[in-house]
Amino acid sequence: MTLLSTTPRPLIAGNWKMNGLSTALDEARAIAAGLDRRPAAARVAIFPPATLLHRLGEAVEGSFVLVGGQDCHGAASGAHTGDISAQMVADAGGTMVIVGHSERRTDHGETCQQVAGKAQAALAAGLEPIICVGESLEQRQAGEAVSFVIGQLRNSLPDSLAGQAFDVAYEPLWAIGTGHVASVENIVEMHAAIRTELVARFGEQGRATPILYGGSVKPENAREILAAPEVGGALVGGASLKAKDFLAIVEAA
Ligand code: PEP
């Protein structure tokens, strides 16, 4: 997917994680219906579990809702039981994919090198990757948050992203699913550092690459976070599971 726009609309991305049976498709339909009432100022995407990807795409077909995968393998196919490839995400109707989420890095020991391989595989399949980075509480308390995240970013972004549509999500580990949202000061500082790195690496393209914040984004705090400098959207976990909450976050963008 080649980069077309230099001023992308904010992206509000709902990561359902390992949540959602067939009945959850009703929430996706409600999100699509909520957006159909007026064109959204933001791009809106849902990342359901792989088991729902295809059906969710059908459920929201014709709406403003984009659909993506929560992960993909770095290889196009092969003996990797339980994994799915980027091509499979695309074949199931996805146009985007999250790679390097901290839960993948922690639960499955994914390295930056593997994450870069997944981002590359996503591009090869025509998907827009969202590449996640973020520091632990210990790293923040030790004053190493910015240097750690920038190092992680450097190693997780393949050179092949040049000229292609992609997004970065900054998600401090201590804010994910905890209700402890990062302060606007913390977010602004980190997003500015990420922007500097993106511009150094990708030039003009790096100025427009959306940098999403993720970590306990809720209807109550979304407006303040999304208005902060260099925040180009939100990656939303828990609050994306209910259409009412998710739509309120979209409304805040
Ligand atoms: C996430 O899943 O990436 C996330 C940020 O979760 P939550 O919004 O629940 O903190």
Side-chain angles (χ1 to χ4, degrees):
M1 189 177 293
T2 306
L3 189 69
L4 294 175
S5 168
T6 51
T7 51
R9 288 177 295 158
L11 172 62
I12 308 298
N15 174 15
W16 283 11
K17 311 193 187 196
M18 199 174 73
N19 296 295
L21 302 176
S22 304
T23 49
L25 295 175
D26 286 341
E27 293 299 324
R29 286 190 194 96
I31 291 167
L35 296 177
D36 275 350
R37 280 197 280 277
R38 71 176 178 81
R43 291 196 298 155
V44 177
I46 303 176
F47 298 79
T51 47
L52 287 184
L53 185 55
H54 184 64
R55 276 187 294 163
L56 195 145
E58 286 182 336
V60 301
E61 200 169 353
S63 78
F64 291 101
V65 177
L66 303 166
V67 177
Q70 295 178 9
D71 179 50
C72 67
H73 198 279
S77 62
H80 304 290
T81 304
D83 283 319
I84 61 171
S85 71
Q87 257 184 322
M88 290 169 180
V89 172
D91 187 51
T95 58
M96 309 180 85
V97 67
I98 299 169
V99 296
H101 191 283
S102 64
E103 287 153 16
R104 299 288 316 173
R105 292 181 189 260
T106 304
D107 295 357
H108 301 275
E110 288 184 7
T111 64
C112 290
Q113 198 186 5
Q114 283 171 314
V115 173
K118 286 166 183 250
Q120 200 155 337
L123 295 179
L127 300 176
E128 175 179 332
I130 301 177
I131 300 136
C132 303
V133 291
E135 83 285 358
S136 67
L137 186 58
E138 295 69 34
Q139 286 159 335
R140 176 152 290 276
Q141 286 171 340
E144 294 163 0
V146 171
S147 59
F148 176 79
V149 167
I150 297 306
Q152 207 181 31
L153 187 69
R154 226 163 253 166
N155 294 326
S156 300
L157 302 185
D159 290 335
S160 53
L161 288 168
Q164 305 294 318
F166 74 97
D167 312 272
V168 170
Y170 166 56
E171 300 203 298
L173 272 60
W174 45 272
I176 296 178
T178 60
H180 298 302
V181 68
S183 69
V184 172
E185 291 72 25
N186 285 166
I187 296 172
V188 169
E189 179 194 36
M190 190 63 81
H191 281 230
I194 291 173
R195 176 68 67 213
T196 301
E197 172 62 22
L198 289 172
V199 172
R201 179 96 178 260
F202 298 104
E204 275 308 303
Q205 178 189 355
R207 276 185 217 291
T209 301
I211 307 171
L212 282 54
Y213 168 78
S216 298
V217 176
K218 308 277 179 230
E220 308 80 60
N221 58 27
R223 197 168 295 280
E224 188 186 17
I225 293 169
L226 290 166
E230 302 296 0
V231 174
L235 183 50
V236 185
S240 69
L241 296 172
K242 288 276 165 255
K244 188 168 164 284
D245 290 346
F246 192 55
L247 285 169
I249 294 171
V250 172
E251 190 71 28

